[in-house]
Amino acid sequence: FSRQPDRLAEMPPSDPAAIVEWLLTSTGVNFRIPDLGGTGLTFKGARLFAAGGMPVGELLYTSGEGEVIAILFRKNRPGDDGFSERIRDNIALLSWKSATATYVPVGPSSAASLDEIAAKAAGLI
């Protein structure tokens, strides 16, 4: 999606209540859309997709430099582990787990503030 900035989201940011209802109903994860403006990110909307046979919600943000940062979430599965960090190619993935859901902020590995974004999102979502 980072290479298609004109088509980032299925649902635009103009109706956050509809986004929450849509993704809550689809994923079963109760969440809030984090305001990450303090970290320089602008909310651009949401997507829904399937991964590993489960529905995944995706909240999309862009930085002032045009980088795309996404926060993915899905219901926990038995055996899910806790926090982890991975870098694949030029994409960084951080993850943490709450009692009911797993969250994964994703962004360019060059985004030094991804861990700060993850920490802020964890406190708000």
Side-chain angles (χ1 to χ4, degrees):
F1 302 119
S2 65
R3 290 168 181 61
Q4 298 179 7
D6 295 337
R7 293 182 181 87
L8 279 180
E10 284 179 85
M11 186 172 274
S14 56
D15 192 352
I19 289 172
V20 170
E21 181 181 342
W22 172 52
L23 293 179
L24 170 60
T25 301
S26 300
T27 65
V29 175
N30 191 10
F31 72 98
R32 291 176 291 182
I33 298 171
D35 178 357
L36 300 175
T39 60
L41 298 179
T42 302
F43 181 58
K44 294 296 187 174
R47 286 186 173 274
L48 176 69
F49 63 93
M54 296 184 72
V56 176
E58 180 177 30
L59 304 176
L60 295 148
Y61 297 81
T62 56
S63 70
E65 296 79 34
E67 295 176 319
V68 176
I69 306 290
I71 299 175
L72 313 173
F73 56 90
R74 65 165 170 78
K75 284 193 78 90
N76 284 336
R77 290 193 273 199
D80 280 350
D81 58 0
F83 183 84
S84 66
E85 179 177 359
R86 294 188 178 109
I87 295 179
R88 294 184 180 150
D89 298 324
N90 64 343
I91 304 295
L93 300 102
L94 306 174
S95 68
W96 76 90
K97 182 177 152 182
S98 73
T100 58
T102 299
Y103 301 90
V104 182
V106 179
S109 58
S110 62
S113 62
L114 194 58
D115 57 346
E116 175 188 335
I117 292 165
K120 179 141 177 107
L124 297 174
I125 202 161

